[in-house]
Amino acid sequence: MDHAGMTLEEMLEDGFTRRFATRHLETLERERRSGLYDPDYLAWAHERGFTGESACAYGLSEQNVGSYLSDYDYARLWPLNGWQRIWINDKLTLNALVQGSELERYVPTYFYYTEPGRLLPLSGSGYAPGVEGLLATLRERGEFACKPCNGSLAKGFHHLAWRDGGYLIDGEQAGPREISAFVADHPNYVFTEFIRPEASLARVNPLIHTIRALVLNPTGCDPVPAMTYLRFGKQDGAHGTGANYEEPTTGDVSSFNVHVDVATGAYGDGRLVYANRVEACPAHPVSGVLAEGVVPRWDELLEMLRELALKVGACEYLGFDACMTERGPQIMEINSHTGIKYLQLFRPVFDDPVAGPYFREKLARLDALTPEQRAARAQIAR
């Protein structure tokens, strides 16, 4: 089947939701216009259901294409979770779920949440409402991470700080008035503890990393981590506190990633990822430190994933964004349809003993739907 030539209506008949069919078509068109890819290779990848970005990351060819889950099929499968995905689709709900339980220790402290015209102190923060309360909390805590409540791809991340008697917004000097304007201009944001990495990981890069772990729990009572990788920050820490990922829409490096063995936590095989290529890079590109070792307290991190997956047991597909700090593992967010490209950067889905059978079974179920069931499914909006 030539996936590149399919219309929206044909995709809906093939089991897509309208939302993800539209998104997939927009991605293909954006890649055609980008000028980042060899046109012949891009057309070949699109015909087989892959974006050019993914095809370049995998070194996709006629010989290995059958081992990878295509972007077309992955988008077609959304949503893998039922309506309960609302439990994990935003950071505020995740924070509320763990409040008052032993799981609270696994989530950074949440201080404030913004709505249009309103700044709310969050349950458990113990801090005063309003901008004055936020400023007092910032002076006490020293820094905040600020991010969209339900954002993705590291979009919209900001850093607020109190240093040497002054406020900073993303490293730039600011006064109370500028902080107040920043708050007003960023509705649906959470202001949380700014976390730092454990010492051995900080030697590779002092900014917080992301441990992406896919956990599958179709029975609701037996969560299994399936595929993992670790993404380090690209900046040196002295000149940045931002996110560790940039969308690959230019020829610049997008991210630096290493493979993580899901059983042991051993990591290595570093790779620099661009929009149109991947380069082997054993050492961190800025610090020069060899990015190899074992994530400390890995067994504790696996147990944290298990406990949180059981807490939201009705969600069977969980893309955890975790990190390791000096006080142990922390969860930054859980995604209900995490990006598939980086999960397959080091190993194709269909070569994985857990993820491979899971996706094959899901695709078979989707293919078995009646036309009426597909028509109903096409209307799922969120």
Side-chain angles (χ1 to χ4, degrees):
M1 180 186 295
D2 180 359
H3 293 297
M6 295 186 71
T7 66
L8 175 62
E9 291 306 315
E10 288 172 331
M11 293 171 72
L12 298 182
E13 291 172 3
D14 201 26
F16 268 88
T17 63
R18 184 173 295 274
R19 173 185 173 185
F20 268 68
T22 301
R23 180 184 296 183
H24 185 70
L25 290 172
E26 289 172 348
T27 298
L28 301 188
E29 182 59 28
R30 183 173 66 249
E31 288 194 336
R32 293 187 192 102
R33 295 179 177 179
S34 70
L36 292 170
Y37 306 95
D38 174 84
D40 292 337
Y41 186 63
L42 185 65
W44 176 86
H46 285 184
E47 287 171 5
R48 284 151 184 80
F50 292 84
T51 63
E53 181 187 336
S54 293
C56 291
Y58 307 151
L60 204 66
S61 67
E62 291 288 3
Q63 288 69 44
N64 66 13
V65 67
S67 295
Y68 289 91
L69 176 64
S70 71
D71 298 286
Y72 176 93
D73 276 339
Y74 188 58
R76 188 164 69 106
L77 282 170
W78 184 86
L80 285 157
N81 293 309
W83 67 264
Q84 297 89 350
R85 59 189 175 275
I86 63 174
W87 297 347
I88 59 174
N89 275 350
D90 71 86
K91 301 172 183 69
L92 198 61
T93 305
L94 173 62
N95 179 61
L97 278 170
V98 301
Q99 283 295 318
S101 75
E102 291 187 0
L103 299 176
E104 190 174 354
R105 70 187 187 276
Y106 293 136
V107 176
T109 304
Y110 279 53
F111 300 115
Y112 290 89
Y113 170 70
T114 56
E115 291 183 336
R118 197 160 67 134
L119 177 63
L120 304 174
L122 294 174
S123 174
S125 70
Y127 294 104
V131 173
E132 288 303 319
L134 181 143
L135 291 172
T137 308
L138 182 56
R139 292 193 297 271
E140 177 183 334
R141 301 291 302 204
E143 57 186 345
F144 289 160
C146 316
K147 43 199 171 183
C149 186
N150 51 359
S152 63
L153 302 176
K155 292 180 179 177
F157 181 90
H158 297 282
H159 177 246
L160 300 186
W162 168 259
R163 300 271 168 78
D164 302 322
Y167 300 105
L168 300 170
I169 300 176
D170 295 328
E172 299 293 328
Q173 294 287 338
R177 182 175 298 176
E178 287 76 21
I179 298 288
S180 181
F182 175 89
V183 170
D185 290 343
H186 290 81
N188 195 35
Y189 260 62
V190 289
F191 294 71
T192 75
E193 171 188 8
F194 194 94
I195 49 181
R196 301 284 179 178
E198 174 277 338
S200 69
L201 296 167
R203 281 193 289 273
V204 179
N205 186 261
L207 301 177
I208 198 62
H209 50 271
T210 299
I211 300 169
R212 170 61 58 80
L214 174 62
V215 176
L216 303 176
N217 187 25
T219 68
C221 57
D222 186 26
V224 180
M227 304 177 80
T228 53
Y229 66 88
L230 191 162
R231 176 177 291 146
F232 284 103
K234 297 187 284 91
Q235 299 166 308
D236 61 10
H239 300 94
T241 52
N244 53 29
Y245 172 84
E246 293 178 20
E247 274 196 277
T249 55
T250 70
D252 297 332
V253 63
S254 172
S255 59
F256 174 64
N257 309 269
V258 299
H259 177 252
V260 181
D261 184 275
V262 69
T264 66
Y267 65 90
D269 190 15
R271 303 184 188 184
L272 282 174
V273 180
Y274 298 78
N276 53 12
R277 69 188 189 279
V278 172
E279 296 177 357
C281 186
H284 189 276
V286 176
S287 71
V289 175
L290 189 64
E292 293 182 2
V294 177
V295 178
R297 302 167 72 167
W298 184 252
D299 287 345
E300 185 179 350
L301 184 142
L302 291 179
E303 179 59 23
M304 173 190 71
L305 299 180
R306 180 179 181 277
E307 291 181 24
L308 282 163
L310 290 173
K311 178 75 171 179
V312 291
C315 295
E316 64 176 85
Y317 189 84
L318 303 154
F320 284 92
D321 280 354
C323 61
M324 188 60 67
T325 71
E326 290 293 356
R327 69 171 185 260
Q330 297 278 287
I331 290 293
M332 293 176 281
E333 63 184 41
I334 309 175
N335 301 281
S336 65
H337 201 79
T338 181
I340 197 64
K341 167 188 164 185
Y342 285 94
L343 288 175
Q344 298 192 102
L345 183 61
F346 299 97
R347 184 184 203 176
V349 154
F350 293 125
D351 287 351
D352 186 88
V354 177
Y358 175 85
F359 279 110
R360 284 193 176 95
E361 189 267 340
K362 289 295 180 184
L363 288 168
R365 284 193 185 184
L366 183 56
D367 290 339
L369 294 179
T370 66
E372 293 76 19
Q373 289 171 323
R374 295 183 187 207
R377 194 174 189 278
Q379 304 308 313
I380 299 173
R382 60 185 293 269

